[in-house]
Amino acid sequence: MVDACESEQSALLKRYVLDKKDELAAFETRDDSAVGPNSISPFVPCAASRIPYILQAARITKDDVLWDLGCGDGIVLIEAAKRCGCRCVGVDIDTPCIELARVRAKEAGVDHLCHFEQRDLLKLPEGGLGRKAAEVAGDPSALPPTVALAFLTGRGLVLLAPWLRQEWESEAHRKLRLVTCVESLDSAVNYEECGSMFAEPNQLGWTVCKDHEKWGVFVVPPFGMTVDDWRAEVPRGTLPLQLTRAEADATRPVIIKNLLSDEDIGLIHRLVEQYRPGDAEGAEETSLSLFDLADEAAFHVAAEDALHDLKYHRVLHLHSLVICEDEASGLPALERKMKEAMMAHDEYGMLKARDFNVRSFEYHSYCEGGSVMDPHHRDDGSLLTMSVLLSNLTDFQGGRFLTYDQDKVVEHHLDRGDAVLFLSEKRHNVTPVTGDRRTLIMELWEGPRNRHNRHV
Protein backbone atom coordinates (compact mmCIF):
# COMPACT_ATOMS: atom_id res chain seq x y z
CA MET A 1 0.00 0.00 0.00
CA VAL A 2 1.30 3.47 -0.89
CA ASP A 3 0.93 5.71 2.15
CA ALA A 4 0.26 9.46 2.30
CA CYS A 5 3.94 10.20 2.98
CA GLU A 6 5.22 8.16 0.04
CA SER A 7 6.02 11.11 -2.23
CA GLU A 8 8.13 12.88 0.40
CA GLN A 9 9.78 9.62 1.53
CA SER A 10 10.67 8.64 -2.05
CA ALA A 11 12.25 12.05 -2.64
CA LEU A 12 14.40 11.53 0.46
CA LEU A 13 15.42 8.05 -0.74
CA LYS A 14 16.50 9.53 -4.05
CA ARG A 15 18.40 12.36 -2.39
CA TYR A 16 20.21 10.33 0.27
CA VAL A 17 20.78 6.99 -1.50
CA LEU A 18 20.03 6.80 -5.21
CA ASP A 19 21.71 10.10 -6.16
CA LYS A 20 24.72 9.46 -3.90
CA LYS A 21 25.73 5.96 -4.99
CA ASP A 22 29.18 7.01 -6.10
CA GLU A 23 29.80 9.00 -2.92
CA LEU A 24 28.49 6.21 -0.66
CA ALA A 25 30.66 3.59 -2.39
CA ALA A 26 33.64 4.87 -0.41
CA PHE A 27 31.96 3.72 2.84
CA GLU A 28 30.89 0.24 1.75
CA THR A 29 33.75 -1.48 3.59
CA ARG A 30 33.31 0.40 6.86
CA ASP A 31 31.81 -1.54 9.74
CA ASP A 32 30.27 1.63 11.19
CA SER A 33 28.47 2.74 8.03
CA ALA A 34 24.83 2.51 6.99
CA VAL A 35 26.05 1.16 3.64
CA GLY A 36 28.72 -1.10 5.16
CA PRO A 37 28.71 -4.92 5.43
CA ASN A 38 27.01 -4.95 8.85
CA SER A 39 24.18 -2.58 8.00
CA ILE A 40 20.64 -3.96 7.74
CA SER A 41 19.10 -0.78 6.31
CA PRO A 42 20.39 2.31 4.46
CA PHE A 43 20.08 5.76 6.02
CA VAL A 44 17.10 7.73 4.74
CA PRO A 45 15.60 10.41 7.02
CA CYS A 46 12.02 9.97 8.12
CA ALA A 47 9.59 12.09 6.11
CA ALA A 48 8.68 15.13 8.19
CA SER A 49 4.98 14.63 7.45
CA ARG A 50 5.11 11.15 9.02
CA ILE A 51 6.60 12.20 12.38
CA PRO A 52 3.46 13.60 14.04
CA TYR A 53 1.61 10.38 13.19
CA ILE A 54 4.38 8.30 14.76
CA LEU A 55 4.00 10.28 17.97
CA GLN A 56 0.22 10.03 17.87
CA ALA A 57 0.08 6.34 16.97
CA ALA A 58 2.53 5.44 19.76
CA ARG A 59 0.65 7.72 22.22
CA ILE A 60 3.86 9.36 23.38
CA THR A 61 3.63 11.38 26.60
CA LYS A 62 6.24 13.16 28.73
CA ASP A 63 6.43 10.05 30.92
CA ASP A 64 7.55 7.80 28.07
CA VAL A 65 11.03 6.69 27.12
CA LEU A 66 11.31 6.41 23.34
CA TRP A 67 14.08 4.38 21.73
CA ASP A 68 14.77 4.54 18.00
CA LEU A 69 16.51 1.43 16.68
CA GLY A 70 18.24 2.74 13.58
CA CYS A 71 17.77 6.39 14.47
CA GLY A 72 19.78 7.88 11.59
CA ASP A 73 20.10 11.63 12.08
CA GLY A 74 17.83 11.50 15.13
CA ILE A 75 15.06 13.66 13.68
CA VAL A 76 12.18 11.59 15.11
CA LEU A 77 13.63 11.59 18.62
CA ILE A 78 14.45 15.29 18.52
CA GLU A 79 10.89 16.12 17.49
CA ALA A 80 9.50 13.77 20.15
CA ALA A 81 11.57 15.49 22.83
CA LYS A 82 10.54 18.96 21.62
CA ARG A 83 6.82 18.21 21.30
CA CYS A 84 6.22 15.67 24.06
CA GLY A 85 9.03 16.27 26.52
CA CYS A 86 9.88 12.56 26.69
CA ARG A 87 13.31 11.04 27.19
CA CYS A 88 14.87 9.52 24.08
CA VAL A 89 17.63 7.10 23.14
CA GLY A 90 18.83 6.54 19.59
CA VAL A 91 21.12 3.76 18.40
CA ASP A 92 22.49 3.39 14.89
CA ILE A 93 25.39 1.68 13.20
CA ASP A 94 26.38 4.81 11.26
CA THR A 95 28.91 6.91 13.21
CA PRO A 96 28.48 10.13 11.13
CA CYS A 97 24.70 9.91 11.68
CA ILE A 98 25.14 9.58 15.43
CA GLU A 99 27.48 12.56 15.51
CA LEU A 100 25.02 14.62 13.46
CA ALA A 101 22.12 13.60 15.74
CA ARG A 102 24.03 14.82 18.80
CA VAL A 103 24.72 18.17 17.17
CA ARG A 104 21.12 18.63 16.08
CA ALA A 105 19.75 17.71 19.51
CA LYS A 106 21.98 20.36 21.07
CA GLU A 107 20.92 22.95 18.49
CA ALA A 108 17.27 22.13 19.23
CA GLY A 109 17.84 22.52 22.96
CA VAL A 110 16.86 18.93 23.80
CA ASP A 111 20.27 17.34 24.27
CA HIS A 112 19.41 16.87 27.97
CA LEU A 113 16.54 14.61 26.86
CA CYS A 114 18.24 12.80 23.96
CA HIS A 115 21.15 10.37 24.01
CA PHE A 116 22.67 8.78 20.90
CA GLU A 117 25.01 5.82 20.70
CA GLN A 118 26.70 3.94 17.85
CA ARG A 119 25.58 0.29 17.89
CA ASP A 120 25.23 -2.67 15.52
CA LEU A 121 21.55 -3.62 15.82
CA LEU A 122 22.24 -7.29 15.14
CA LYS A 123 24.65 -7.43 18.08
CA LEU A 124 22.35 -6.00 20.70
CA PRO A 125 22.32 -8.30 23.77
CA GLU A 126 19.46 -10.18 25.34
CA GLY A 127 17.85 -7.71 27.74
CA GLY A 128 19.02 -4.80 25.61
CA LEU A 129 15.64 -3.14 25.99
CA GLY A 130 15.44 -4.12 29.65
CA ARG A 131 18.07 -4.83 32.28
CA LYS A 132 20.96 -4.02 29.92
CA ALA A 133 19.42 -0.85 28.52
CA ALA A 134 21.98 1.46 30.16
CA GLU A 135 24.79 -0.68 28.70
CA VAL A 136 23.33 -0.51 25.19
CA ALA A 137 22.72 3.23 25.44
CA GLY A 138 26.22 3.86 26.77
CA ASP A 139 24.66 5.98 29.51
CA PRO A 140 24.28 4.82 33.13
CA SER A 141 21.20 7.00 33.53
CA ALA A 142 19.42 5.65 30.44
CA LEU A 143 16.10 3.96 31.12
CA PRO A 144 14.58 1.01 29.24
CA PRO A 145 12.08 2.06 26.58
CA THR A 146 8.33 2.13 26.91
CA VAL A 147 8.22 2.62 23.14
CA ALA A 148 10.68 1.21 20.60
CA LEU A 149 10.65 2.52 17.03
CA ALA A 150 12.23 0.58 14.18
CA PHE A 151 11.99 2.41 10.85
CA LEU A 152 13.88 -0.14 8.76
CA THR A 153 13.54 -1.89 5.41
CA GLY A 154 11.61 -5.16 5.23
CA ARG A 155 14.93 -7.01 5.30
CA GLY A 156 16.03 -5.10 8.37
CA LEU A 157 12.82 -5.85 10.23
CA VAL A 158 12.95 -9.56 9.39
CA LEU A 159 16.54 -9.81 10.64
CA LEU A 160 15.81 -7.88 13.83
CA ALA A 161 12.41 -9.46 14.53
CA PRO A 162 13.49 -12.53 16.61
CA TRP A 163 15.46 -10.37 19.06
CA LEU A 164 12.73 -7.74 19.06
CA ARG A 165 10.05 -10.34 19.81
CA GLN A 166 12.05 -11.65 22.75
CA GLU A 167 12.54 -8.16 24.19
CA TRP A 168 8.87 -7.27 23.65
CA GLU A 169 7.68 -10.33 25.57
CA SER A 170 10.17 -10.00 28.42
CA GLU A 171 9.30 -6.31 28.94
CA ALA A 172 5.54 -6.89 29.07
CA HIS A 173 5.43 -5.57 32.64
CA ARG A 174 6.43 -2.13 31.34
CA LYS A 175 3.85 -2.30 28.55
CA LEU A 176 6.51 -1.91 25.87
CA ARG A 177 4.95 -1.15 22.50
CA LEU A 178 6.69 -1.31 19.14
CA VAL A 179 6.33 1.05 16.19
CA THR A 180 7.42 0.50 12.60
CA CYS A 181 7.08 2.66 9.50
CA VAL A 182 6.24 1.75 5.89
CA GLU A 183 6.76 -1.94 6.69
CA SER A 184 4.64 -3.82 9.23
CA LEU A 185 6.12 -6.60 11.36
CA ASP A 186 3.34 -9.02 10.40
CA SER A 187 4.02 -8.66 6.67
CA ALA A 188 7.71 -7.68 6.34
CA VAL A 189 9.69 -9.75 3.83
CA ASN A 190 13.44 -10.12 3.33
CA TYR A 191 13.60 -10.22 -0.45
CA GLU A 192 17.30 -11.11 -0.35
CA GLU A 193 16.46 -14.42 1.29
CA CYS A 194 15.79 -17.33 -1.06
CA GLY A 195 12.15 -18.44 -1.00
CA SER A 196 10.99 -15.49 1.08
CA MET A 197 8.32 -14.58 -1.47
CA PHE A 198 6.48 -17.84 -0.74
CA ALA A 199 7.03 -18.04 3.02
CA GLU A 200 4.48 -17.15 5.69
CA PRO A 201 5.46 -13.57 6.61
CA ASN A 202 4.04 -13.56 10.14
CA GLN A 203 5.76 -16.62 11.53
CA LEU A 204 6.33 -14.87 14.87
CA GLY A 205 2.63 -14.14 15.29
CA TRP A 206 2.75 -10.38 15.60
CA THR A 207 -0.42 -8.51 16.54
CA VAL A 208 -0.41 -5.15 14.74
CA CYS A 209 -2.70 -2.14 15.01
CA LYS A 210 -3.03 -0.52 11.58
CA ASP A 211 -5.16 2.50 12.46
CA HIS A 212 -2.42 4.79 11.10
CA GLU A 213 -1.63 2.71 8.01
CA LYS A 214 -2.61 5.64 5.79
CA TRP A 215 0.50 7.40 7.10
CA GLY A 216 2.68 4.30 6.98
CA VAL A 217 2.79 3.85 10.75
CA PHE A 218 2.11 0.52 12.50
CA VAL A 219 1.91 -0.25 16.22
CA VAL A 220 2.42 -3.54 18.04
CA PRO A 221 0.54 -3.13 21.36
CA PRO A 222 2.14 -4.33 24.60
CA PHE A 223 2.56 -8.10 24.82
CA GLY A 224 -0.71 -9.79 25.76
CA MET A 225 -2.90 -6.87 24.67
CA THR A 226 -5.28 -7.21 21.74
CA VAL A 227 -5.74 -4.50 19.15
CA ASP A 228 -9.26 -3.85 20.46
CA ASP A 229 -7.93 -3.43 24.00
CA TRP A 230 -5.24 -1.08 22.70
CA ARG A 231 -7.82 1.06 20.93
CA ALA A 232 -9.95 1.24 24.06
CA GLU A 233 -7.11 2.17 26.41
CA VAL A 234 -5.92 5.76 25.87
CA PRO A 235 -3.50 6.78 28.66
CA ARG A 236 -4.01 10.03 30.51
CA GLY A 237 -1.67 12.71 29.23
CA THR A 238 -1.75 11.47 25.62
CA LEU A 239 -1.49 14.52 23.40
CA PRO A 240 -3.80 15.00 20.40
CA LEU A 241 -2.21 15.29 16.99
CA GLN A 242 0.02 18.34 16.68
CA LEU A 243 1.16 19.52 13.24
CA THR A 244 3.52 22.29 12.26
CA ARG A 245 2.60 24.49 9.30
CA ALA A 246 5.09 22.65 7.12
CA GLU A 247 3.52 19.33 8.09
CA ALA A 248 0.03 20.69 7.43
CA ASP A 249 1.15 21.84 3.97
CA ALA A 250 2.38 18.31 3.23
CA THR A 251 -1.09 16.80 3.77
CA ARG A 252 -3.59 16.23 0.99
CA PRO A 253 -7.15 17.61 1.03
CA VAL A 254 -10.08 15.20 0.85
CA ILE A 255 -12.69 15.66 -1.90
CA ILE A 256 -16.24 14.64 -0.91
CA LYS A 257 -18.48 14.31 -3.95
CA ASN A 258 -22.14 15.38 -3.83
CA LEU A 259 -22.12 16.27 -0.14
CA LEU A 260 -24.97 18.77 -0.52
CA SER A 261 -28.07 18.11 -2.61
CA ASP A 262 -29.92 20.59 -4.81
CA GLU A 263 -32.48 20.83 -2.00
CA ASP A 264 -29.75 21.70 0.55
CA ILE A 265 -28.28 24.36 -1.73
CA GLY A 266 -31.69 25.86 -2.47
CA LEU A 267 -32.39 26.11 1.25
CA ILE A 268 -29.15 28.01 1.85
CA HIS A 269 -29.78 30.44 -1.00
CA ARG A 270 -33.29 31.22 0.29
CA LEU A 271 -32.06 31.85 3.83
CA VAL A 272 -29.26 34.09 2.64
CA GLU A 273 -31.63 36.09 0.45
CA GLN A 274 -33.81 36.59 3.52
CA TYR A 275 -31.00 37.92 5.69
CA ARG A 276 -28.95 39.68 3.02
CA PRO A 277 -31.12 40.61 0.03
CA GLY A 278 -29.32 41.07 -3.27
CA ASP A 279 -26.20 39.42 -1.90
CA ALA A 280 -24.86 38.51 -5.32
CA GLU A 281 -24.71 42.15 -6.34
CA GLY A 282 -23.26 43.30 -3.02
CA ALA A 283 -24.35 46.26 -0.93
CA GLU A 284 -22.76 49.36 0.46
CA GLU A 285 -19.48 48.52 2.16
CA THR A 286 -19.07 49.31 5.84
CA SER A 287 -16.39 51.73 6.99
CA LEU A 288 -14.00 50.99 9.85
CA SER A 289 -12.95 53.72 12.26
CA LEU A 290 -9.89 52.92 14.36
CA PHE A 291 -10.92 55.58 16.87
CA ASP A 292 -14.09 53.73 17.86
CA LEU A 293 -12.32 50.52 18.96
CA ALA A 294 -11.64 49.71 22.59
CA ASP A 295 -8.66 47.37 22.19
CA GLU A 296 -6.72 45.12 19.83
CA ALA A 297 -9.27 42.30 20.14
CA ALA A 298 -12.04 44.68 19.11
CA PHE A 299 -9.92 45.77 16.15
CA HIS A 300 -9.62 42.18 14.86
CA VAL A 301 -13.37 41.64 15.20
CA ALA A 302 -14.21 44.90 13.41
CA ALA A 303 -11.54 44.37 10.77
CA GLU A 304 -12.94 40.97 9.87
CA ASP A 305 -16.46 42.37 9.66
CA ALA A 306 -15.27 45.12 7.32
CA LEU A 307 -13.23 42.72 5.19
CA HIS A 308 -16.18 40.34 4.86
CA ASP A 309 -18.49 43.13 3.77
CA LEU A 310 -16.52 44.05 0.65
CA LYS A 311 -18.83 43.90 -2.35
CA TYR A 312 -16.58 41.65 -4.43
CA HIS A 313 -16.28 39.04 -1.63
CA ARG A 314 -19.02 39.12 0.97
CA VAL A 315 -19.44 36.75 3.90
CA LEU A 316 -22.56 36.04 5.95
CA HIS A 317 -21.83 34.36 9.30
CA LEU A 318 -24.65 31.85 9.50
CA HIS A 319 -23.65 30.76 13.01
CA SER A 320 -24.52 34.29 14.21
CA LEU A 321 -28.13 34.08 13.01
CA VAL A 322 -30.99 33.31 15.37
CA ILE A 323 -32.37 30.78 12.88
CA CYS A 324 -29.19 28.71 13.32
CA GLU A 325 -30.89 27.45 16.50
CA ASP A 326 -34.32 27.04 14.93
CA GLU A 327 -34.81 23.45 13.73
CA ALA A 328 -37.73 24.52 11.58
CA SER A 329 -35.44 26.65 9.43
CA GLY A 330 -33.46 23.59 8.31
CA LEU A 331 -30.15 25.32 9.06
CA PRO A 332 -29.25 23.32 12.21
CA ALA A 333 -29.73 20.05 10.27
CA LEU A 334 -27.50 21.32 7.48
CA GLU A 335 -24.84 22.36 9.99
CA ARG A 336 -24.92 18.88 11.55
CA LYS A 337 -24.65 17.27 8.11
CA MET A 338 -21.47 19.19 7.36
CA LYS A 339 -19.98 18.64 10.81
CA GLU A 340 -20.67 14.90 10.65
CA ALA A 341 -19.05 14.75 7.20
CA MET A 342 -15.95 16.46 8.56
CA MET A 343 -15.76 13.96 11.40
CA ALA A 344 -16.31 10.98 9.09
CA HIS A 345 -13.65 12.11 6.60
CA ASP A 346 -11.02 13.26 9.10
CA GLU A 347 -8.31 11.03 7.66
CA TYR A 348 -5.70 13.13 9.47
CA GLY A 349 -6.92 12.22 12.98
CA MET A 350 -7.11 15.92 13.83
CA LEU A 351 -10.33 15.62 15.83
CA LYS A 352 -9.27 12.52 17.75
CA ALA A 353 -8.83 13.02 21.52
CA ARG A 354 -10.14 16.58 21.24
CA ASP A 355 -13.22 18.52 22.31
CA PHE A 356 -14.18 20.71 19.38
CA ASN A 357 -16.88 23.12 18.29
CA VAL A 358 -18.00 25.05 15.24
CA ARG A 359 -15.83 28.13 14.98
CA SER A 360 -17.58 29.50 11.92
CA PHE A 361 -20.33 28.52 9.51
CA GLU A 362 -20.18 30.98 6.62
CA TYR A 363 -21.79 31.75 3.28
CA HIS A 364 -19.31 33.32 0.83
CA SER A 365 -20.32 35.12 -2.35
CA TYR A 366 -17.68 36.23 -4.87
CA CYS A 367 -18.50 38.54 -7.73
CA GLU A 368 -16.27 40.31 -10.28
CA GLY A 369 -12.68 40.32 -8.97
CA GLY A 370 -13.45 38.50 -5.69
CA SER A 371 -10.66 36.21 -4.50
CA VAL A 372 -8.53 34.97 -1.61
CA MET A 373 -5.05 35.54 -2.98
CA ASP A 374 -2.85 36.17 0.09
CA PRO A 375 -0.04 33.64 -0.64
CA HIS A 376 0.20 32.85 3.08
CA HIS A 377 -3.54 32.56 3.79
CA ARG A 378 -4.43 29.96 6.41
CA ASP A 379 -7.38 29.54 8.75
CA ASP A 380 -5.14 30.09 11.77
CA GLY A 381 -6.32 28.62 15.04
CA SER A 382 -8.82 26.17 13.54
CA LEU A 383 -8.42 22.40 13.18
CA LEU A 384 -10.32 21.49 10.01
CA THR A 385 -11.96 23.55 7.28
CA MET A 386 -14.55 22.42 4.75
CA SER A 387 -15.57 24.36 1.63
CA VAL A 388 -18.62 23.35 -0.41
CA LEU A 389 -19.24 24.79 -3.88
CA LEU A 390 -22.84 26.05 -4.21
CA SER A 391 -22.67 27.47 -7.76
CA ASN A 392 -22.91 25.82 -11.13
CA LEU A 393 -19.62 25.82 -13.06
CA THR A 394 -21.38 27.84 -15.78
CA ASP A 395 -22.05 30.68 -13.31
CA PHE A 396 -18.43 31.82 -13.09
CA GLN A 397 -14.93 31.66 -14.49
CA GLY A 398 -11.74 31.57 -12.44
CA GLY A 399 -12.45 30.95 -8.76
CA ARG A 400 -10.10 27.97 -8.71
CA PHE A 401 -9.51 26.47 -5.27
CA LEU A 402 -5.78 26.01 -4.69
CA THR A 403 -3.65 24.49 -1.95
CA TYR A 404 0.11 24.08 -1.69
CA ASP A 405 2.30 21.01 -1.33
CA GLN A 406 5.45 22.74 -0.11
CA ASP A 407 5.82 25.32 -2.93
CA LYS A 408 3.90 23.35 -5.53
CA VAL A 409 0.44 24.72 -6.38
CA VAL A 410 -2.30 22.05 -6.41
CA GLU A 411 -5.73 22.77 -7.93
CA HIS A 412 -8.79 20.92 -6.65
CA HIS A 413 -11.71 20.51 -9.07
CA LEU A 414 -15.17 20.79 -7.52
CA ASP A 415 -18.65 20.49 -9.02
CA ARG A 416 -21.79 21.96 -7.50
CA GLY A 417 -22.44 20.26 -4.14
CA ASP A 418 -18.89 18.88 -3.82
CA ALA A 419 -16.81 19.62 -0.72
CA VAL A 420 -13.09 19.87 -0.05
CA LEU A 421 -11.86 19.11 3.48
CA PHE A 422 -8.40 20.17 4.61
CA LEU A 423 -6.30 21.07 7.62
CA SER A 424 -7.05 24.67 8.53
CA GLU A 425 -3.36 25.52 8.86
CA LYS A 426 -2.74 24.45 5.26
CA ARG A 427 -2.16 27.32 2.82
CA HIS A 428 -5.06 27.81 0.42
CA ASN A 429 -6.34 30.35 -2.08
CA VAL A 430 -9.24 31.16 -4.40
CA THR A 431 -8.22 32.74 -7.70
CA PRO A 432 -10.03 35.90 -8.95
CA VAL A 433 -13.62 35.32 -10.02
CA THR A 434 -15.52 36.51 -13.07
CA GLY A 435 -19.24 35.97 -12.62
CA ASP A 436 -20.92 34.65 -9.47
CA ARG A 437 -19.25 32.01 -7.25
CA ARG A 438 -20.81 30.95 -3.95
CA THR A 439 -19.54 28.59 -1.27
CA LEU A 440 -20.43 27.31 2.18
CA ILE A 441 -17.55 27.17 4.68
CA MET A 442 -17.27 25.48 8.06
CA GLU A 443 -14.33 25.60 10.47
CA LEU A 444 -13.94 23.44 13.58
CA TRP A 445 -11.69 24.41 16.50
CA GLU A 446 -11.04 23.69 20.19
CA GLY A 447 -12.52 26.96 21.38
CA PRO A 448 -16.16 27.66 22.30
CA ARG A 449 -18.78 28.07 19.63
CA ASN A 450 -18.60 31.60 18.22
CA ARG A 451 -21.66 33.85 18.07
CA HIS A 452 -20.56 36.69 15.79
CA ASN A 453 -17.68 35.99 13.40
CA ARG A 454 -14.50 33.89 13.52
CA HIS A 455 -13.16 35.81 16.53
CA VAL A 456 -16.11 36.08 18.93
Side-chain angles (χ1 to χ4, degrees), residues 146-215:
T146 56
V147 183
L149 168 67
F151 188 173
L152 305 169
T153 60
R155 172 177 178 267
L157 282 181
V158 170
L159 293 176
L160 192 64
W163 174 84
L164 201 55
R165 174 84 192 198
Q166 178 180 288
E167 298 298 307
W168 174 63
E169 291 187 15
S170 64
E171 295 304 312
H173 61 286
R174 285 188 297 100
K175 295 189 174 181
L176 172 65
R177 60 259 196 209
L178 310 177
V179 182
T180 66
C181 298
V182 181
E183 300 279 357
S184 175
L185 278 164
D186 63 345
S187 59
V189 175
N190 180 3
Y191 291 105
E192 296 183 19
E193 186 177 76
C194 182
S196 62
M197 289 284 291
F198 307 101
E200 165 57 48
N202 194 20
Q203 295 182 20
L204 295 178
W206 294 106
T207 298
V208 181
C209 179
K210 300 185 178 182
D211 289 352
H212 290 77
E213 183 176 17
K214 173 181 172 63
W215 306 97

Side-chain angles (χ1 to χ4, degrees), residues 230-267:
W230 167 253
R231 288 175 176 146
E233 182 183 282
V234 180
R236 181 175 296 179
T238 300
L239 297 174
L241 181 66
Q242 304 289 337
L243 295 176
T244 65
R245 285 185 165 184
E247 290 163 353
D249 281 341
T251 62
R252 298 175 183 176
V254 178
I255 303 297
I256 307 170
K257 301 296 290 184
N258 301 311
L259 176 64
L260 296 188
S261 65
D262 289 343
E263 182 180 354
D264 294 329
I265 295 172
L267 170 67

Side-chain angles (χ1 to χ4, degrees), residues 35-66:
V35 294
N38 297 329
S39 175
I40 60 174
S41 190
F43 164 58
V44 180
C46 180
S49 58
R50 196 187 311 275
I51 294 175
Y53 292 95
I54 294 174
L55 305 182
Q56 184 191 46
R59 301 176 182 172
I60 303 292
T61 74
K62 62 180 179 59
D63 298 321
D64 277 306
V65 181
L66 172 61

